[in-house]
Amino acid sequence: MENLEKGIEVSQLIVKDLQGCISPEEKVMLDKWLEESPENREVYHRVQGRVNRDERQRIIRQLNKRAAWERVDRNTKEYKHSILRRCMRYAATIVLPLFVVGIGFYLTRDKEKIHPVAEVVTIAPGVTKAELVLADGHKVILGTETVDSLASEEGINIVKEGNGVSYIGNKEEGDLAYNIMRVPRGGEFKVRLQDGTLVYMNSETELKYPVRFVGKERRVYLSGEAYFEVQRDTTKPFIVVMNGNEVRVLGTEFNVRSYKDEKCQFTTLVTGKVLLTTSDRKCMELLPNEQGIVDPQGDIRKEQVDVALYTAWKDGNFVFRKQSLEHIMEIVERWYDLKVIFEDEWCKQVSFSGNVERYDDFSKLAEMLEATGSVKFRIKNNEIYVTKR
């Protein structure tokens, strides 16, 4: 068990170091591992040398996926030993490939294997897709087959850019005209606004924004979840409005989540600082690694958080740390575009930790969840039924 935990820990530390979010304490642990052998240092420097961002992200995703592990928090110890044995079996099947990058260790496999029900039905992950509503009301369906040039409005050209679109042009005179980008369930999309700000949009998200920014501010309206990389402009603040509440920045990176069916709004800051203001003018400043939470009563508070838990989705990963199955399955519903039905209410409160690649089909996530021995899944049509094992 000691070797298993050490191998998982090292791969997670390398991932955090590559992502630039490793803590001083974790850095000490990583350095200690590097000092243990020349082989360890060779592996680290080989991975670190991947200067291409896309290639580095690919390595990060591989490490996240291969080092995926889970533990379940339970109020009762009834299934403690059974859960431990199942975790060991599952970890053996996913951690061994870490030898590919030199971060490996030997595991003893049980002969018994886990065969989740979800394995027999393939449920594909979300894809790049959205609907763009132009200022005149005309609708354009967007996806991976989007043409290079979509439209021109108010002197601004809308063109394809990777898995998204970009608004090109510097004209600032004229009337204020809005476009609306809608990403459905089972989708994701990126849009680069006229000022250069890049917005990653998650499933079931709508963003209303000007074709070009005029006046003394840059104001957009969001429902759902998005990650913003705001182009800095000290003369023109960037404002995200979410159901009357506002996030005001000059230039920074942050994640916001404001789904209509969720009770609270969440603003998670990655770099810089933001000013969070509620509809009744309560204000709070956020610094990196802080999350501002606005509850249904309009009260506001902030917490220190691991930002990776709230931003990993944009880099193609699911990262869970002691999160309830109810919350996890809310994410599953949006991303895989299906309906989740809990046949046992008890299952909603079971908590899990683990990392899974976002672009895998649902069976991979189901394997991780079922490996705890606490729950099982049954798939019928486009519905997933969750029951106590």
Side-chain angles (χ1 to χ4, degrees):
M1 185 66 179
E2 181 180 353
N3 288 336
L4 170 63
E5 290 184 342
K6 182 178 180 180
I8 292 172
E9 181 180 67
V10 168
S11 56
Q12 289 178 335
L13 293 177
I14 292 178
V15 169
K16 287 188 175 183
D17 193 52
L18 286 174
Q19 292 175 321
C21 60
I22 192 168
S23 69
E25 294 79 10
E26 291 170 332
K27 183 64 174 174
V28 170
M29 296 169 62
L30 179 59
D31 290 342
K32 183 177 180 181
W33 177 79
L34 291 172
E35 293 172 359
E36 289 180 1
S37 71
E39 289 80 9
N40 290 354
R41 291 191 292 274
E42 192 276 333
V43 168
Y44 175 80
H45 291 306
R46 181 157 59 89
V47 175
Q48 185 188 48
R50 305 297 183 112
V51 295
N52 179 274
R53 184 179 184 277
D54 291 337
E55 178 68 7
R56 177 169 290 189
Q57 286 299 328
R58 184 186 68 77
I59 294 172
I60 289 173
R61 291 174 185 176
Q62 281 187 339
L63 288 171
N64 274 335
K65 180 180 177 182
R66 289 167 180 163
W69 65 285
E70 43 66 36
R71 290 184 180 129
V72 60
D73 293 326
R74 300 281 302 279
N75 292 328
T76 168
K77 297 182 179 179
E78 180 180 356
Y79 298 101
K80 179 178 179 181
H81 298 297
S82 173
I83 291 172
L84 181 59
R85 287 195 298 272
R86 289 179 182 273
C87 286
M88 287 291 290
R89 284 199 302 272
Y90 184 68
T93 67
I94 59 177
V95 177
L96 193 58
L98 281 171
F99 278 114
V100 174
V101 291
I103 310 169
F105 45 89
Y106 296 99
L107 299 171
T108 301
R109 297 171 179 263
D110 282 356
K111 294 182 179 180
E112 180 185 356
K113 294 182 179 180
I114 299 170
H115 296 285
V117 176
E119 193 174 72
V120 301
V121 180
T122 299
I123 297 179
V127 296
T128 300
K129 61 181 178 180
E131 177 187 70
L132 173 62
V133 182
L134 301 176
D136 62 2
H138 181 69
K139 296 180 180 179
V140 181
I141 302 301
L142 305 173
T144 54
E145 302 302 320
T146 299
V147 296
D148 290 339
S149 183
L150 298 174
S152 179
E153 289 195 312
E154 300 292 330
I156 303 297
N157 293 320
I158 309 173
V159 301
K160 180 180 179 181
E161 182 187 28
N163 292 328
V165 297
S166 182
Y167 286 68
I168 307 297
N170 295 318
K171 183 180 178 183
E172 296 187 359
E173 308 86 24
D175 297 330
L176 187 63
Y178 284 92
N179 281 182
I180 299 175
M181 188 73 74
R182 295 184 179 129
V183 180
R185 290 165 68 98
E188 63 178 357
F189 210 75
K190 290 188 295 186
V191 56
R192 188 179 296 277
L193 305 180
Q194 176 263 333
D195 69 331
T197 293
L198 181 60
V199 187
Y200 298 79
M201 299 177 62
N202 207 345
S203 300
E204 205 169 12
T205 295
E206 178 177 299
L207 181 69
K208 180 181 177 181
Y209 52 92
V211 173
R212 51 186 170 74
F213 293 100
V214 299
K216 298 181 179 180
E217 63 182 22
R218 298 170 288 169
R219 184 178 292 264
V220 302
Y221 302 84
L222 178 77
S223 174
E225 182 171 29
Y227 184 95
F228 289 83
E229 296 179 0
V230 177
Q231 186 70 29
R232 186 170 180 80
D233 186 345
T234 58
T235 66
K236 188 178 294 187
F238 192 97
I239 302 169
V240 182
V241 182
M242 305 174 292
N243 193 29
N245 303 316
E246 297 182 357
V247 178
R248 179 181 293 260
V249 306
L250 298 178
T252 185
E253 295 187 25
F254 59 96
N255 192 85
V256 289
R257 192 170 85 232
S258 178
Y259 283 107
K260 295 179 181 178
D261 59 351
E262 292 185 351
K263 296 179 180 179
C264 299
Q265 293 180 353
F266 303 87
T267 301
T268 308
L269 184 59
V270 179
T271 64
K273 63 180 179 180
V274 305
L275 181 64
L276 182 58
T277 306
T278 66
S279 56
D280 57 359
R281 312 319 296 171
K282 297 175 184 176
C283 297
M284 179 174 289
E285 185 177 83
L286 301 180
L287 298 177
N289 301 312
E290 291 184 342
Q291 181 180 79
I293 305 169
V294 181
D295 66 23
Q297 289 73 43
D299 293 326
I300 184 173
R301 69 181 190 275
K302 66 180 176 181
E303 299 176 353
Q304 286 282 333
V305 298
D306 178 357
V307 297
L309 298 179
Y310 304 93
T311 64
W313 66 268
K314 82 175 182 66
D315 293 319
N317 295 298
F318 288 127
V319 179
F320 304 120
R321 292 291 180 269
K322 295 183 179 180
Q323 289 174 290
S324 70
L325 184 59
E326 182 177 26
H327 172 71
I328 292 173
M329 298 312 285
E330 287 175 354
I331 296 173
V332 166
E333 284 187 315
R334 293 192 181 99
W335 180 236
Y336 292 96
D337 189 17
L338 45 77
K339 182 175 178 59
V340 176
I341 299 171
F342 284 90
E343 294 189 308
D344 289 297
E345 288 292 311
W346 172 88
C347 297
K348 292 182 178 181
Q349 304 308 317
V350 177
S351 63
F352 296 89
S353 296
N355 306 345
V356 178
E357 190 166 339
R358 179 174 158 97
Y359 299 107
D360 283 333
D361 62 60
F362 176 70
S363 65
K364 301 296 184 181
L365 179 58
E367 287 175 12
M368 182 189 77
L369 298 175
E370 288 193 340
T372 66
S374 300
V375 298
K376 61 181 179 179
F377 301 94
R378 187 177 79 258
I379 300 174
K380 182 178 181 181
N381 298 323
N382 205 41
E383 297 178 337
I384 295 179
Y385 294 84
V386 187
T387 59
K388 185 176 179 179
R389 183 180 291 276

